[in-house]
Amino acid sequence: MPDPTQFVDLRIRRFVSERLTPAIYRERQQLTVTSWDVPGEPVPFAEAVTQQFAPFRVGDEWSRPWGTTWFHITGTVPADWEMTDARVEVLVDLGFVSGHPGFQAEGLVWTPEGHILKAIEPRNTAVPLEIGPGDSIDLYIEAASNPDVQGESVYAPTPMGDLATSGDAPIYRTRVLDIGLRDVPVWELAQDVWTLDGLWRELGEEQPRRAEILRGLERLIDTLDPDDISGTAEAGREVLAPLLASPAYASAHHLVAVGHAHIDSAWLWPVRETIRKCARTFSNVLSLMDENDDFLFACSSAQQFAWMKEHYPDLFERIKVRVLEGRFVPVGGMWVESDTNLPGGEAMARQFVAGKGFFIREFGIEPPEVWLPDSFGYSAALPQIVKAAGSKYFLTQKPSWNETNVMPHHTFNWEGIDGSQVFTHFPPVATYNSVLSQEELHKAQRDYKEKGEANSSLVPFGYGNGGGGPTREMVAAAERTRDLEGSPTVEMTSPQAFFEQAEAELAQPPVWSGEIYLEFHRGTYTSQARTKRGNRRSEHLLREAELWASAAAIRTGAEYPYAELDSAWQTVLLQQFHDILPGSSIAWVHQVAEEHYERVAGELETLIASALGSLTGEGETALLANAGPYAVDGVPALGGGASGAGSTAAPAPVTLTRSGDDLVLDNSLVRVTIDADGLVSSLFDVAADRELVPAAERAAELWVYRDTPAQWDAWDIDVHYQRHGRPIRSVESVEVVSESADRVVVKVSRSDGASTFVQELSLSAGRPTLDLTTDVDWHERQKLLKLAFPLDVHAERSSSEIQFGHVNRPIHRNTSWDVARFETSAHRWVHVGETGYGVAVANDSTYGHDVTRTTRDGGGTTTLVRESLLRAPTFPDPHADQGRHVLRTSVRVGADVLDAAAEGYRLNVGPRPVTGSAPIEPLLTVDDPAVVVEAVKLAEDRSGDVVVRFYEARGAKARATVTPGFAFESVAETDLLERDVDQTAIVDAEGALALSVRPFQLVTLRFRGVSALR
């Protein structure tokens, strides 16, 4: 006998689409509409409503891409509408296209008094009103004609990501601006059907529950009168009531559903539009809270709350009320959901300082969890930073995107480079945009990896990325699956409640040690080089500004620029968002980011000049101010003086000789041979008496690769790029452009394709380092540019700088995890070595690297270190990375990891020329180079206390004496928020200040009662 299921299924589907859904609104009537097009950027409500509005017909086109149209809608509720079990709503369709909410037209609905009601979006098109027959409707809709940049493809170049190229033609045509009467029982019935229909599809054919639901749905259709759905809806609900009342299995997986809207702070829209997206989403959430007492919403970014406070103060006050009720829940404790691979250590710390500081000041709340569902991999330094910020939980979802390997746990302890562990959850639902469908709930139950030991997971629900948030349909789904046979159970509560429950369930969590590397989106280490350079430059300018401003405040009484530094930090932290700094946003976003970096640089340069002027006094003596933690060219760390002042003997001079077509540079520490092709054919460590360039190889060579990933252009570098590369060897000139005893510079000029390349290779006296500056005028498309250094070093692993330390990665390809890690991120340096010997490759703005090892014919191995300098993806910015770039690299021979660290600081925060009358005594000194000063600043509470942040850089236990160059009354260890914590590093504070630190330990000291030394 044929299985009747498919026929029942077809009957259900057709009945729902043709009878049930159309009956949700008993009545509809078109409203009267007028409109005003904003001529430029968005304007406030108070300005918009004073404009001249013109008649508008539903069905007409409106606004250009990225434009705004204000619609004024008026009407009256018909006197004959029957209101029993019904509610009046305004219904709006701005011309929505298929696809996800948040990626197209949106609207915000206002009353004439300037009160925000809620938003209109593709799957949230109704505005409930507390009115009845004969009442008037008078509302404004601020409609944003944001283009669907992604469209049907995530690959095709588009002009829509740049205001200058997006055109003026309208892209939307209104469809609906109506008043409607929602039949509440019919709507509730539709939710019943949606839940049960989804449930039977997830159950096995052998389960009686599946057949029971199918037959119940069929009885429902028999019960309903297709010509009077409204009149028979209650009878239909009675048919389904027993099916919905049957309780869940005792062993059903338990899901904590957290209302959420992952609003990207910028991505396929500019930051200015994100501010409006937040207002739209948050107003939706507040409206939903008014209707559902059990509904909670989690919002992760302090920046988004701060935007509401600045731009929508009334909305912010409404949010604040719900925050204090515990229903609008700040989570994460960061300024934004930042990338975690690329920001420097101090910047990652400041994400928490700024984020938690805002939540504590505004709400008296400190989130205990870190909330990063969508960042592109997670640094091995994060567990320690999380704990140092006073947090203890971590949530991510992104590893579900891995191309090769599956994470072995969903709930676990994550261990960082210093041994710190943080309780971590990776939701098995594998999305942060859940709609609470049965498909999603069953996936979580099916895939949860800690079965048998624990039974709870978290599901973030609500439309995200472009905003929108949870809908009333999602809340209805949560209510129906609270305790439903055949379904996992669902509870709406807070992230903290989930973590406390999960922690109690799992007494001995498994441990994941080291970075959580995302096997995807590897191109984000390189895309949009200008944005990355702006970030790196800003981080180091902030270091300088804080150090010198602190010194000037202590020693000269200069005013510390708290407000200016806070503003600069907030700009930099915002632009570390995981679609800005990684280079995966539209052109508009990166244009604005680069403008902001230039503004920040100008402001910080002014602060630095003012502070240094106070410290050095008036005079014409040439000095160098060294804000780095290591002495450079005789200039002390964290101080200033004349070049070479601290040296006991002059270094050997640099010599230049010619051997045939080769140029040989020698400073008695390293000898560099540059051949006729402008490539390094020999890099000889004089002290170690060893050649580092393998026979038949050449270093400092540029390679260009085909870069056509299978999916996300700006995000991805796929492994197949390795099969499509070639060196750039054609040379136009090799010339000596500077020759002195202190420094010799050789310039090499090339062209390839539509691009030109000028490299300067230089050797300086007293430095075992080859410096390179690569000046590229880049005009390729979908190409990857790498700079290669083959080295005769037998390395088993590479060490890459990350926040407050480094991570070691195997170079071999023994496992699928090793194979998948073919492109990696590093901050200022990469180190490779064998026992007793190593080489450091440092950079001033590059993050992407790959390190491999091959066996040479005849024996021996070559370790190849390559920097990824530039890419040229065509989506979402079709002109990404085009134009001129200047990138600096250095190769230090005979280096350990501390030498690598010193080299990284030299390239990024080298001594700054100043003039004055006196040197600058260091604000403090540390006698162990492994204990690195990362930041010196005045305390956040403006008390005048001095805060110094250190970390252990070698990866070994260290003991150091710290000598402050100022008087102080007491010193204490603190967390990142500068609150006292248990003393673990200070071993002596009575005499000399002595620290004992474990490998990679992060230590923050707060000096109280500070004054200048007399």
Side-chain angles (χ1 to χ4, degrees), residues 493-783:
T493 187
S494 69
Q496 181 174 347
F498 161 75
F499 275 109
E500 290 172 350
Q501 177 180 332
E503 199 171 29
E505 280 186 358
L506 198 58
Q508 293 183 314
V511 176
W512 177 273
S513 184
E515 68 182 329
I516 301 178
Y517 176 86
L518 180 65
E519 297 172 355
F520 207 43
H521 291 0
R522 303 168 182 89
T524 59
Y525 314 146
T526 304
S527 295
Q528 296 286 2
R530 292 185 187 86
T531 298
K532 290 175 169 59
R533 181 172 185 79
N535 174 75
R536 182 78 68 85
R537 182 186 181 203
S538 298
E539 288 181 345
H540 291 89
L541 285 172
L542 279 160
R543 175 194 174 96
E544 290 190 83
E546 289 184 335
L547 171 66
W548 301 130
S550 298
I554 294 167
R555 291 182 174 156
T556 73
E559 185 175 352
Y560 190 80
Y562 291 103
E564 294 90 336
L565 289 170
D566 283 348
S567 176
W569 267 118
Q570 288 175 10
T571 298
V572 173
L573 296 178
L574 166 61
Q575 295 184 172
Q576 290 177 342
F577 178 74
H578 64 251
D579 275 307
I580 302 179
L581 181 53
S584 48
S585 289
I586 57 174
W588 191 349
V589 171
H590 293 288
Q591 291 163 5
V592 171
E594 289 154 28
E595 291 169 4
H596 286 174
Y597 284 132
E598 284 303 310
R599 174 181 55 79
V600 165
E603 293 169 352
L604 294 176
E605 289 285 2
T606 299
L607 295 181
I608 292 166
S610 175
L612 288 175
S614 297
L615 291 165
T616 62
E618 294 183 4
E620 298 302 321
T621 302
L623 302 169
L624 293 173
N626 177 18
Y630 295 98
V632 180
D633 297 335
V635 181
L638 312 179
S643 177
S647 303
T648 57
V654 186
T655 62
L656 172 68
T657 58
R658 289 172 171 79
S659 176
D661 292 332
D662 294 345
L663 298 173
V664 182
L665 289 60
D666 193 329
N667 67 0
S668 298
L669 297 173
V670 61
R671 186 165 61 247
V672 181
T673 302
I674 301 171
D675 65 16
D677 291 330
L679 300 171
V680 176
S681 59
S682 173
L683 183 62
F684 190 81
D685 184 339
V686 176
D689 191 26
R690 65 181 288 171
E691 173 61 60
L692 289 169
V693 178
E697 297 272 12
R698 292 185 288 183
E701 187 169 51
L702 294 166
W703 281 69
V704 63
Y705 294 86
R706 188 171 80 188
D707 186 15
T708 53
Q711 297 186 71
W712 301 78
D713 272 25
W715 293 257
D716 290 347
I717 291 176
D718 289 355
V719 69
H720 61 72
Y721 89 87
Q722 297 171 346
R723 301 196 295 268
H724 305 284
R726 57 179 177 78
I728 301 174
R729 290 177 178 164
S730 61
V731 62
E732 295 174 352
S733 65
V734 179
E735 55 184 322
V736 178
V737 294
S738 177
E739 182 178 359
S740 71
D742 292 329
R743 185 167 179 253
V744 174
V745 182
V746 176
K747 183 170 79 171
V748 180
S749 299
R750 311 177 192 278
S751 62
D752 187 89
S755 303
T756 59
F757 308 86
V758 177
Q759 286 181 297
E760 288 190 347
L761 297 86
S762 65
L763 192 65
S764 298
R767 199 176 288 157
T769 305
L770 171 64
D771 286 321
L772 298 94
T773 299
T774 304
D775 189 331
V776 184
D777 191 13
W778 183 244
H779 296 284
E780 308 307 310
R781 290 287 191 276
Q782 294 186 306
K783 297 291 191 293

Side-chain angles (χ1 to χ4, degrees), residues 100 260-262 431-436 440 460-465 474:
H100 204 282
H260 174 56
H262 174 70
T431 180
Y432 50 81
N433 291 320
S434 172
V435 297
L436 299 182
E440 292 167 338
F461 72 94
Y463 293 121
N465 291 320
M474 297 175 197

Side-chain angles (χ1 to χ4, degrees), residues 85-105:
D85 292 329
R87 187 168 185 183
V88 175
E89 298 183 342
V90 168
L91 306 176
V92 179
D93 184 342
L94 296 171
F96 300 129
V97 298
S98 61
H100 204 282
F103 293 79
Q104 51 178 293

Side-chain angles (χ1 to χ4, degrees), residues 720-941:
H720 61 72
Y721 89 87
Q722 297 171 346
R723 301 196 295 268
H724 305 284
R726 57 179 177 78
I728 301 174
R729 290 177 178 164
S730 61
V731 62
E732 295 174 352
S733 65
V734 179
E735 55 184 322
V736 178
V737 294
S738 177
E739 182 178 359
S740 71
D742 292 329
R743 185 167 179 253
V744 174
V745 182
V746 176
K747 183 170 79 171
V748 180
S749 299
R750 311 177 192 278
S751 62
D752 187 89
S755 303
T756 59
F757 308 86
V758 177
Q759 286 181 297
E760 288 190 347
L761 297 86
S762 65
L763 192 65
S764 298
R767 199 176 288 157
T769 305
L770 171 64
D771 286 321
L772 298 94
T773 299
T774 304
D775 189 331
V776 184
D777 191 13
W778 183 244
H779 296 284
E780 308 307 310
R781 290 287 191 276
Q782 294 186 306
K783 297 291 191 293
L784 169 63
L785 181 68
K786 282 182 173 274
L787 179 61
F789 298 95
L791 301 169
D792 189 0
V793 175
H794 183 68
E796 294 185 357
R797 67 186 190 184
S798 64
S799 300
S800 298
E801 188 189 31
I802 60 173
Q803 299 90 350
F804 304 121
H806 59 267
V807 63
N808 298 314
R809 299 180 176 111
I811 296 175
H812 59 66
R813 298 293 182 263
N814 285 353
T815 72
S816 59
W817 297 88
D818 302 327
V819 171
R821 205 181 293 111
F822 60 82
E823 182 82 5
T824 57
S825 65
H827 287 184
R828 293 168 291 208
W829 55 267
V830 169
H831 178 271
V832 292
E834 58 196 40
T835 302
Y837 191 85
V839 177
V841 179
N843 70 83
D844 78 333
S845 60
T846 297
Y847 294 90
H849 294 75
D850 74 286
V851 184
T852 56
R853 189 179 71 186
T854 56
T855 300
R856 299 191 294 268
D857 293 342
T861 58
T862 295
T863 297
L864 177 63
V865 178
R866 297 190 297 188
E867 296 179 331
S868 297
L869 301 184
L870 296 170
R871 299 185 67 216
T874 58
F875 183 87
D877 177 5
H879 305 293
D881 284 329
Q882 300 300 299
R884 187 174 177 226
H885 303 267
V886 179
L887 307 105
R888 298 172 63 214
T889 305
S890 71
V891 183
R892 180 163 177 168
V893 304
D896 62 17
V897 291
L898 292 186
D899 296 323
E903 194 61 32
Y905 280 106
R906 179 183 72 85
L907 274 189
N908 285 273
V909 62
R912 169 186 292 270
V914 295
T915 57
S917 61
I920 305 170
E921 290 299 317
L923 203 53
L924 71 156
T925 61
V926 185
D927 68 353
D928 187 336
V931 179
V932 176
V933 177
E934 181 66 2
V936 180
K937 61 188 285 291
L938 296 194
E940 293 290 311
D941 63 7

Side-chain angles (χ1 to χ4, degrees), residues 74-326:
T74 57
T76 302
V77 180
D80 60 349
W81 278 12
E82 171 55 49
M83 297 297 298
T84 304
D85 292 329
R87 187 168 185 183
V88 175
E89 298 183 342
V90 168
L91 306 176
V92 179
D93 184 342
L94 296 171
F96 300 129
V97 298
S98 61
H100 204 282
F103 293 79
Q104 51 178 293
E106 305 170 60
L108 187 61
V109 181
W110 303 71
T111 69
E113 296 75 30
H115 177 78
I116 294 172
L117 291 182
K118 69 179 295 291
I120 289 297
E121 293 166 301
R123 297 180 191 169
N124 195 341
T125 60
V127 184
L129 301 175
E130 297 296 336
I131 59 176
D135 291 336
S136 297
I137 295 170
D138 187 353
L139 298 171
Y140 290 87
I141 302 175
E142 180 188 8
S145 57
N146 301 331
D148 184 9
V149 174
Q150 186 170 304
E152 298 299 319
S153 170
V154 292
Y155 323 122
T158 172
M160 289 296 179
D162 188 339
L163 187 62
T165 61
S166 58
D168 295 317
I171 54 174
Y172 293 106
R173 185 184 298 274
T174 55
R175 294 196 188 96
V176 175
L177 286 164
D178 286 353
I179 178 176
L181 188 62
R182 179 165 66 99
D183 190 313
V184 175
V186 174
W187 183 86
E188 295 284 0
L189 177 59
Q191 310 318 305
D192 296 343
V193 172
W194 189 81
T195 295
L196 291 170
D197 185 59
L199 178 55
W200 78 260
R201 297 176 191 282
E202 295 300 317
L203 300 176
E205 292 184 5
E206 77 288 353
Q207 295 187 44
R209 176 69 166 162
R210 181 175 188 266
E212 182 183 49
I213 293 172
L214 266 172
R215 295 297 171 250
L217 290 171
E218 191 171 29
R219 286 196 302 275
L220 164 70
I221 297 172
D222 291 338
T223 300
L224 293 174
D225 181 347
D227 297 322
D228 186 14
I229 298 295
S230 179
T232 55
E234 289 289 6
R237 295 202 72 201
E238 290 175 6
V239 170
L240 298 184
L243 296 173
L244 291 164
S246 184
Y249 308 134
S251 59
H253 185 64
H254 181 63
L255 283 155
V256 169
V258 176
H260 174 56
H262 174 70
I263 306 176
D264 286 316
S265 293
W267 179 26
L268 302 182
W269 47 85
V271 168
R272 71 92 149 140
E273 195 57 31
T274 307
I275 298 170
R276 299 204 295 176
K277 284 177 177 289
C278 290
R280 291 190 283 260
T281 297
F282 298 164
S283 65
N284 282 345
V285 167
L286 293 171
S287 175
L288 207 49
M289 286 179 180
D290 291 340
E291 298 181 4
N292 299 272
D293 292 339
D294 293 335
F295 171 64
L296 283 80
F297 178 78
C299 180
S300 67
S301 298
Q303 172 69 88
Q304 295 178 358
F305 287 90
W307 280 332
M308 297 304 97
K309 183 178 181 181
E310 178 182 359
H311 299 283
Y312 298 90
D314 292 343
L315 189 63
F316 179 75
E317 289 303 316
R318 292 165 58 194
I319 290 170
K320 192 169 185 177
V321 169
R322 293 300 193 182
V323 169
L324 298 178
E325 290 178 354

